[in-house]
Amino acid sequence: MSSLVSAATNHKQNALLATVVAEIRESFRAKWFFLYALIFGGAIILLLALGITESQVLGFTGLSRLLVTYIQLCVAILPIFVLVTTVRTVVGDRESNVLEYILSLPISLAAYYWGKLLARFLIVFLPVFLALSGALFWGAVKGLSIPWTIVGYYSLMLAALAWSFLGTGMFISTLVRKQEWALGLAFLVWLTLLLFIDVILIGVLLQNQIMEEVIIGIALLNPLQAFRTGAILLFDPELSLLGPASYVILDNFGKTGFLLYSIIYPLGLGWGFSWLGFKVFQKGDLV
Amino acid sequence: MIKLTKIEKSFGKQLVLDSLGLEIKPGDRIALIGQNGAGKTTLIRTLLGQYTHQGLLSVFGVNPRQQRVDVLQKIGFVPQHSPPIQMSVKELIAFSDSLSAQSIIDKVRDLAAKLEFDVQQEGSKPFYKLSGGMKQKLLISLAMSRRPDFLIMDEPAANLDPPGRKAFFGELSCLPKQTAMLLSSHRVDELLPLVNRIIEMDCGRIVQDERTTDSVADGKLLNCQLQISNENEAIRKTLSSWRFSNGTEPGHYSGEVAEADRMRFFNDISHFSNHIQELNLEAS
């Protein structure tokens, strides 16, 4: 009996690993991945070439200055890239009949679904992480001081942000039956979250005079806002860039508390959505 | 082995499988025929555990939706339309191998070679870049290499060239007698020599279920002699595609045709029937 259980466990691990490897290989061949890697890798190279580490803005210089600029880039590009490429995962396989064939093989639904998700995470996070590592290496060669704590937190925050949008993307991918719908929904989610950062919340705050705590609470439910605020906190411990909102955030969370929140919350959100996506996938027609 | 009791499947308001009942026993070689929209593909996908449904479904004693890995270890499937899989040929074989209970890499290579598909030569090509026939040959090799208890094939020989078809029919005949098969097609004539049971579907129901003689088990080959007058390039090309060779006399051709391929062969040579002076066909 125990050997049977062990064989089943081995098979599950094999299937998961096989899916991860197949998905990574497929992504390496895809044009979107090269474009994605080029943008993140190229951005770092461009920033370094432009001498951004030698400039000074708001008191930031060296690698910290580079990271501040990189944050803006990540907020703008990472979520939409992750969403657009992930929402097509299941629905794309379904539309092209690849899913019909793959799921006729003895593979568990969990191995297929989580294998795809895990591979996507590695593929999405790898270029960003390599670009960051490249910048650190360059900084070390140039003799700049390396802000290790900031880099550590920042990497974790980026991973959490990527995971939250991967989970959301996989959820959308299992929910719809057409790629067009998936892409439309992805843009809608991205636009809504992007608008919530500034335009909508400030408008609501001004017009309805709702309690600051409520508005800020809603704002922090947005993973983009959680990431951006957490990233600012790394460089600006008083959050002076945020104005009065900083008091509410720091009073309620504290610096370390909020840094942890900006990592744990998007991770939880990503897990939640990916789990929901799996349930939807498992429950309905597979093809 | 497989039992469906009052299976119903709807897409929206459209009932696609209508209170379907069916039992498949070991050794059943079924031609599943019917018009487009009769429910053939829906039935196949239901058997593979890919659709939710009402009614009772038991495949090897369990429900494929609940114990899909156990069930699918015993099923080989070849789809009608080869999907645009991005993996290379070698990657696809390795992927399939990693999911199988036993290693299949050598078996796939040998089977593919019999179907005139060289895994070594085509190994690095992306699957989706292969020709229709090549894709079909590889998918057939992958499905049959696991020595499944139940083979499901949707228009399996549609894209194969005559030598490929001959080898494919030969391989089917080498399968253990207990292996059950479900071969789906629009045309009964194409499947007739391969099966011992014909099931016709219409509007989601089984409208005909009858047994025929078992002919595929023999894997018969027919010796064919042809005498052609005024042969031309088109005739030579057709006969060459069937691997016929020229005799010593002008216009004389000979070759082998799989019993299962008889109808297709006649159809092919009918294009130059006015050139055929003599035709001799006998079991080899």
Side-chain angles (χ1 to χ4, degrees), chain B:
Chain B
M1 188 168 111
I2 292 161
K3 194 170 184 183
L4 294 88
T5 313
K6 292 187 176 174
I7 294 289
E8 287 192 2
K9 175 67 190 166
S10 304
F11 295 113
K13 286 180 181 173
Q14 196 188 355
L15 193 61
V16 187
L17 295 181
D18 183 4
S19 198
L20 200 101
L22 176 66
E23 194 166 351
I24 300 173
K25 293 186 171 150
D28 277 356
R29 295 175 177 207
I30 301 167
L32 181 65
I33 58 169
Q35 301 284 326
N36 283 340
K40 303 190 297 288
T41 302
T42 308
L43 172 61
I44 287 174
R45 288 177 173 180
T46 304
L47 286 171
L48 291 169
Q50 296 180 343
Y51 279 150
T52 57
H53 57 82
Q54 288 182 309
L56 291 174
L57 171 63
S58 165
V59 182
F60 303 113
V62 293
N63 189 309
R65 292 244 353 143
Q66 282 145 19
Q67 282 169 268
R68 50 176 287 111
V69 175
D70 295 339
V71 169
L72 294 173
Q73 283 289 1
K74 298 176 186 170
I75 295 181
F77 172 64
V78 179
Q80 180 183 1
H81 302 292
S82 303
I85 296 168
Q86 305 280 321
M87 289 180 232
S88 71
V89 169
K90 275 187 182 164
E91 286 167 10
L92 180 58
I93 295 171
F95 180 72
S96 191
D97 178 68
S98 66
L99 301 177
S100 300
Q102 291 168 338
S103 177
I104 58 163
I105 290 177
D106 291 338
K107 286 181 199 161
V108 173
R109 193 193 52 222
D110 294 347
L111 259 168
K114 285 178 186 167
L115 295 173
E116 302 194 342
F117 180 90
D118 189 340
V119 170
Q120 199 62 35
Q121 194 182 316
E122 310 286 347
S124 54
K125 270 191 193 165
F127 177 81
Y128 73 94
K129 284 193 175 169
L130 298 175
S131 69
M134 292 292 200
K135 285 178 194 164
Q136 197 86 346
K137 286 174 183 178
L138 182 58
L139 294 184
I140 288 171
S141 307
L142 285 167
M144 292 176 74
S145 62
R146 286 196 281 124
R147 289 280 160 185
D149 294 329
F150 184 33
L151 254 180
I152 303 176
M153 297 182 164
D154 207 347
E155 306 272 6
N159 290 319
L160 298 184
D161 50 16
R165 292 165 63 81
K166 197 163 84 178
F168 169 57
F169 295 142
E171 283 309 310
L172 280 186
S173 69
C174 291
L175 287 173
K177 290 260 185 196
Q178 290 299 95
T179 307
M181 280 193 249
L182 185 70
L183 307 173
S184 167
S185 179
H186 295 98
R187 294 171 50 181
V188 67
D189 60 313
E190 187 172 274
L191 297 180
L192 204 51
L194 297 172
V195 299
N196 55 21
R197 188 176 171 191
I198 297 172
I199 293 177
E200 185 177 357
M201 286 187 74
D202 189 32
C203 298
R205 284 176 164 269
I206 290 174
V207 291
Q208 186 192 348
D209 184 354
E210 63 181 40
R211 294 198 172 267
T212 65
T213 52
D214 205 343
S215 53
V216 71
D218 301 335
K220 276 183 195 162
L221 286 174
L222 303 170
N223 269 328
C224 181
Q225 313 281 330
L226 271 170
Q227 185 63 46
I228 306 286
S229 65
N230 300 327
E231 54 183 316
N232 57 36
E233 193 52 39
I235 296 173
R236 275 192 286 271
K237 206 171 169 185
T238 303
L239 292 173
S240 161
S241 75
W242 284 89
R243 300 286 163 91
F244 272 48
S245 56
N246 263 121
T248 46
E249 293 170 35
H252 183 265
Y253 287 85
S254 60
E256 280 184 330
V257 178
E259 164 78 55
D261 246 354
R262 183 200 288 251
M263 293 296 285
R264 185 173 281 259
F265 176 68
F266 284 153
N267 186 46
D268 271 13
I269 63 170
S270 69
H271 301 299
F272 49 89
S273 56
N274 53 334
H275 291 266
I276 299 174
Q277 300 295 304
E278 202 178 315
L279 168 66
N280 184 25
L281 206 62
E282 58 188 25
S284 50

Side-chain angles (χ1 to χ4, degrees), chain A residues 108-137:
Chain A
S108 70
L109 297 184
Y112 168 82
Y113 182 89
W114 296 109
K116 287 259 176 191
L117 185 64
L118 200 58
R120 286 275 158 161
F121 175 72
L122 294 173
I123 283 292
V124 160
F125 190 58
L126 204 66
V128 180
F129 185 72
L130 286 178
L132 263 179
S133 306
L136 292 183
F137 178 73

Side-chain angles (χ1 to χ4, degrees), chain A residues 28-48:
Chain A
F28 277 148
R29 280 194 286 260
K31 289 187 183 89
W32 72 261
F33 175 72
F34 281 103
L35 184 66
Y36 175 75
L38 197 72
I39 287 175
F40 279 96
I44 286 278
I45 293 167
L46 200 69
L47 292 174
L48 292 172

Side-chain angles (χ1 to χ4, degrees), chain A residues 126-204:
Chain A
L126 204 66
V128 180
F129 185 72
L130 286 178
L132 263 179
S133 306
L136 292 183
F137 178 73
W138 185 87
V141 170
K142 283 277 180 181
L144 299 171
S145 71
I146 296 174
W148 286 110
T149 314
I150 290 178
V151 170
Y153 267 117
Y154 186 56
S155 302
L156 285 173
M157 275 187 225
L158 271 176
L161 183 72
W163 187 256
S164 75
F165 281 93
L166 274 168
T168 312
M170 285 298 273
F171 175 60
I172 294 173
S173 193
T174 55
L175 210 59
V176 294
R177 293 267 148 183
K178 295 271 174 205
Q179 285 194 66
E180 289 85 356
W181 273 100
L183 284 172
L185 265 175
F187 275 112
L188 192 70
V189 167
W190 178 67
L191 215 58
T192 307
L193 294 179
L194 209 63
L195 287 177
F196 255 107
I197 287 184
D198 289 320
V199 187
I200 294 175
L201 274 178
I202 290 171
V204 170

